[in-house]
């Protein structure tokens, strides 16, 4: 087993990784920026090294500083968490060259999956269903028009290097295409430094269903069921659950097998997520593969009883998967709500500040993943997510009730969060019935905010 690793991340995920490492007897080296000197991950790690100023480009994305820290402290491996360098193929390659194990798949696999247009082609070869779309990168607006005509409107323009919902535009008619392409391309260049675009058919009212997979170095690949991440704001996930209300056992099996195939066809290693959109008729289409641990991994841990970080570390050490496909049974129901320091009444604008008072909920079937403590000052330089609340209960309804209770207990003062809005979602009749699409929040935001403002809770239909 590994003896010492460097955690190249911050916030809740760094804390999450450090906790499992310490349970396994693995020492941890935290890295931090000058803005993060008082952060929890720095306190919890075996040792900590400052790698640069607040700006991520000079610290958490500073490959040389991170590699130097790992080598100087005698680490054997680097866990990249999510975000930052986790899907950077260059960094994965540099780790290998420095004799450090990058905890994740090979640089080649990261490169291939990070290029969404290339990943699509690979899935087509592997026989995994993909959304009808363009062949490779669009050359210009004329070609985009031609391809959109063939596929049929509406279409979705997507950045090949995209992530976090950026560089995407919906197009409903040919006359909108050229300007949408220019706007999406400009956004993609600004966010990812690459303006390569492709287009897909826009699936109307879809669900976002993703499958967690785990692959070891010996060719074993297992999926750990799905997560339903349909509740999103601006194409970013807000609430995730497992199992999904809309999957039949047969559909679960088919999609799970497709996810395993996706991992097998690229020689995958470690934890990964295969994302699909599911239309109203039960057709599912691959949209992308994330080659890292995801924010929402705890819901899978709750229903499968497996520690995914532990499994990542075992795989990195060369051990075989500790379970086979038949060992994986989804027990009960889990829901995660992301608590972001943002103002839902102002278009979800980030709103960092000082954590004046904090009470984190607890109790039966409750897990809180957070690096927050009272007095902690949020840095405007990083992501606005401050906590993940996760509940587990025997049924979906009981999990919903538990999450409502958890959100009622949570107290964070000093800045606004989306907690109350999430609370309202858990009372919405469509959410309770499980009848909604990725457009849920867009369609109901006004109503939910009105409920919030007036303090009025709708009569729920949950007992029916
Ligand atoms: P990102 O990497 O930026 O998160 P994704 O490809 O994962 O981009 O897509 C983000 C979200 O956009 C998905 O969860 C889904 O809600 C929506 N989406 C993506 N592709 C399609 C599509 N072809 N049709 C409809 N919705 C889509």
């Amino acid at each position: 087993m590994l003896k010492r690793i460097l955690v190249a991340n911050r916030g809740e995920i760094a804390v999450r990784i450090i906790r499992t490492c310490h349970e396994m007897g693995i020492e941890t080296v935290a890295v931090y920026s000058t803005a993060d000197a008082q952060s929890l991950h720095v306190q919890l790690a075996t040792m900590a090294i400052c790698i640069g100023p607040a700006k991520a480009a000079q610290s958490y994305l500073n490959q040389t500083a991170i590699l130097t820290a790992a080598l100087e402290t005698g680490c054997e491996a680097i866990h990249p968490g999510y975000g930052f360098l986790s899907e950077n193929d260059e960094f994965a390659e540099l780790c290998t060259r420095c004799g450090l194990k990058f905890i994740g798949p090979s640089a080649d696999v990261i490169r291939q999956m990070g290029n969404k247009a290339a990943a699509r082609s690979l899935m087509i070869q592997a026989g995994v269903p993909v959304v009808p779309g363009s062949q490779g990168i669009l050359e210009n607006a004329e070609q985009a028009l031609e391809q959109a005509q063939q596929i049929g409107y509406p279409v979705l323009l997507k950045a090949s290097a995209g992530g976090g919902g950026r560089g995407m535009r919906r197009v409903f008619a040919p006359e909108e295409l050229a300007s949408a392409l220019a706007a999406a391309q400009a956004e993609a260049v600004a966010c990812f430094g690459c303006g390569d675009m492709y287009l897909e058919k826009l699936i109307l009212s879809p669900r976002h269903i993703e499958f967690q997979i785990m692959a070891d170095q010996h060719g074993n690949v297992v999926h750990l069921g799905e997560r339903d991440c349909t509740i999103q704001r601006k194409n970013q996930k807000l609430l995730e659950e497992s199992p999904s209300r809309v999957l039949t056992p047969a559909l679960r099996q088919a999609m799970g097998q497709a996810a395993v195939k996706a991992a097998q066809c690229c020689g995958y290693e470690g934890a990964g997520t295969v994302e699909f959109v599911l239309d109203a008729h039960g057709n599912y289409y691959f949209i992308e593969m994330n080659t890292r641990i995801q924010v929402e991994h705890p819901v899978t841990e709750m229903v499968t009883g497996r520690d995914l970080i532990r499994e990542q570390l075992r795989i990195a050490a060369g051990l075989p998967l500790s379970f086979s496909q038949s060992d994986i049974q989804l027990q009960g129901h889990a829901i995660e709500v992301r608590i972001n320091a943002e103002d839902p009444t102002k278009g979800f604008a980030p709103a960092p500040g000082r954590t004046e008072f904090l009470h984190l909920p607890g109790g039966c079937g409750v897990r809180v993943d957070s690096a927050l403590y009272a007095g902690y000052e949020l840095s405007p330089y990083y992501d606005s997510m401050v906590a993940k609340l996760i509940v587990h209960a025997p049924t979906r309804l009981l999990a919903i009730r538990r999450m409502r209770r958890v959100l009622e207990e949570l107290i964070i003062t000093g800045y606004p969060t989306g907690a109350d809005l999430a609370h309202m979602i858990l009372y919405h009749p469509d959410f309770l019935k499980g009848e909604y699409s990725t457009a849920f929040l867009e369609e109901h935001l006004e109503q939910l905010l009105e409920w919030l403002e007036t303090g009025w809770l709708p009569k729920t239909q949950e007992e029916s």
Side-chain angles (χ1 to χ4, degrees):
M1 192 26 84
L2 302 164
K3 288 195 180 63
R4 181 180 289 177
I5 72 159
L6 182 140
V7 181
N9 216 298
R10 63 179 301 284
E12 73 84 20
I13 193 63
V15 169
R16 162 76 190 87
I17 295 163
I18 290 167
R19 284 177 171 152
T20 286
C21 285
H22 291 183
E23 284 174 18
M24 294 172 78
I26 301 171
E27 290 184 343
T28 50
V29 176
V31 289
Y32 64 98
S33 70
T34 50
D36 272 342
Q38 304 304 321
S39 290
L40 193 60
H41 75 286
V42 174
Q43 318 295 320
L44 292 185
T46 315
M47 62 188 91
I49 294 186
C50 184
I51 46 163
K55 276 197 180 137
Q58 293 169 303
S59 50
Y60 298 105
L61 294 172
N62 183 341
Q63 303 187 24
T64 312
I66 292 171
L67 290 166
T68 308
L71 292 172
E72 277 189 0
T73 51
C75 288
E76 293 154 272
I78 296 189
H79 196 308
Y82 55 69
F84 295 126
L85 295 169
S86 62
E87 289 179 293
N88 186 313
D89 55 285
E90 236 175 71
F91 181 65
E93 199 163 315
L94 273 178
C95 284
T96 311
R97 282 213 219 138
C98 292
L100 293 159
K101 171 74 186 158
F102 176 84
I103 301 179
S106 69
D108 280 346
V109 170
I110 297 175
R111 194 173 302 128
Q112 201 157 22
M113 289 301 170
N115 179 331
K116 291 197 196 180
R120 262 179 71 85
S121 309
L122 190 72
M123 292 305 139
I124 294 168
Q125 278 170 34
V128 176
V130 300
V131 190
S134 58
Q135 307 284 326
I137 308 298
L138 296 169
E139 277 162 27
N140 49 41
E142 288 75 55
Q143 195 210 17
L145 267 171
E146 241 169 65
Q147 304 239 3
Q149 206 64 43
Q150 274 172 22
I151 294 160
Y153 288 89
V155 296
L156 185 63
L157 287 166
K158 291 174 111 173
S160 193
R166 284 183 287 262
M168 283 171 47
R169 288 290 183 285
R170 294 178 207 172
V171 183
F172 292 86
E175 57 273 19
E176 299 167 10
L177 191 78
S179 64
L181 180 62
Q185 205 155 25
E187 194 171 292
V189 170
C191 295
F192 316 111
C194 168
D196 286 352
M197 303 294 299
Y198 65 104
L199 60 79
E200 282 180 357
K201 182 145 189 76
L202 177 72
I203 306 297
L204 294 171
S205 304
R207 307 278 289 213
H208 174 114
I209 308 285
E210 59 185 36
F211 274 75
Q212 176 71 52
I213 62 105
M214 275 286 175
D216 64 21
Q217 297 177 10
H218 311 281
N220 303 305
V221 185
V222 167
H223 77 80
L224 291 96
E226 78 279 11
R227 293 184 287 261
D228 189 326
C229 312
T230 300
I231 303 288
Q232 307 180 348
R233 56 134 172 68
K234 303 192 209 159
N235 290 320
Q236 287 174 14
K237 299 157 191 166
L238 203 61
L239 180 152
E240 304 96 351
E241 53 185 315
S242 184
S244 168
R245 186 99 161 84
V246 292
L247 290 200
T248 58
L251 193 50
R252 175 171 300 114
Q253 201 186 357
M255 292 178 78
Q257 276 171 3
V260 167
K261 231 191 311 180
Q264 279 166 341
C265 78
C266 63
Y268 201 82
E269 179 196 324
T273 299
V274 184
E275 297 192 336
F276 299 97
V277 282
L278 177 72
D279 74 11
H281 313 289
N283 301 308
Y284 58 91
Y285 307 96
F286 169 86
I287 49 171
E288 69 164 338
M289 179 165 190
N290 287 318
T291 54
R292 53 170 165 82
I293 196 78
Q294 297 215 194
V295 175
E296 59 273 24
H297 77 276
V299 291
T300 299
E301 295 185 325
M302 298 300 251
V303 292
T304 60
R306 310 282 166 175
D307 178 336
L308 298 186
I309 302 288
R310 181 185 167 86
E311 212 54 39
Q312 281 189 302
L313 293 162
R314 285 175 48 92
I315 292 167
L319 294 171
L321 279 177
S322 65
F323 44 77
S324 64
Q325 192 62 64
S326 57
D327 295 328
I328 301 298
Q329 306 291 336
L330 306 187
Q331 298 276 353
H333 198 94
I335 302 177
E336 174 183 276
V337 167
R338 301 186 189 193
I339 305 297
N340 299 308
E342 64 188 12
D343 191 343
T345 65
K346 294 189 179 125
F348 298 96
R354 186 174 184 273
T355 314
E356 300 294 347
F357 183 83
L358 177 71
H359 171 72
L360 294 174
C364 185
V366 178
R367 164 174 169 183
V368 180
D369 279 18
S370 174
L372 216 53
Y373 56 82
Y376 182 73
E377 181 93 36
L378 299 183
S379 168
Y381 288 98
Y382 313 116
D383 193 71
S384 62
M385 192 176 76
V386 293
K388 304 189 308 206
L389 307 180
I390 307 113
V391 298
H392 187 221
T395 65
R396 183 171 188 264
L397 180 54
L398 290 172
I400 289 173
R401 286 190 168 160
R402 184 158 280 165
M403 183 58 89
R404 288 179 188 160
R405 187 270 290 171
V406 160
L407 286 163
E408 283 158 19
E409 253 183 55
L410 175 75
I411 307 174
I412 302 178
T413 61
Y415 40 84
T417 74
D420 290 342
L421 178 72
H423 191 221
M424 291 296 116
I425 293 173
L426 295 169
Y427 280 93
H428 196 284
D430 291 353
F431 179 77
L432 294 175
K433 285 185 278 180
E435 290 169 7
Y436 53 90
S437 74
T438 51
F440 175 88
L441 214 54
E442 220 173 289
E443 286 167 4
H444 300 297
L445 185 62
E446 212 173 308
Q447 184 181 38
L448 293 166
L449 290 177
E450 200 179 294
W451 289 351
L452 255 185
E453 205 175 306
T454 56
W456 179 78
L457 282 180
K459 271 213 181 79
T460 65
Q461 301 172 4
E462 63 195 44
E463 258 77 37
S464 62

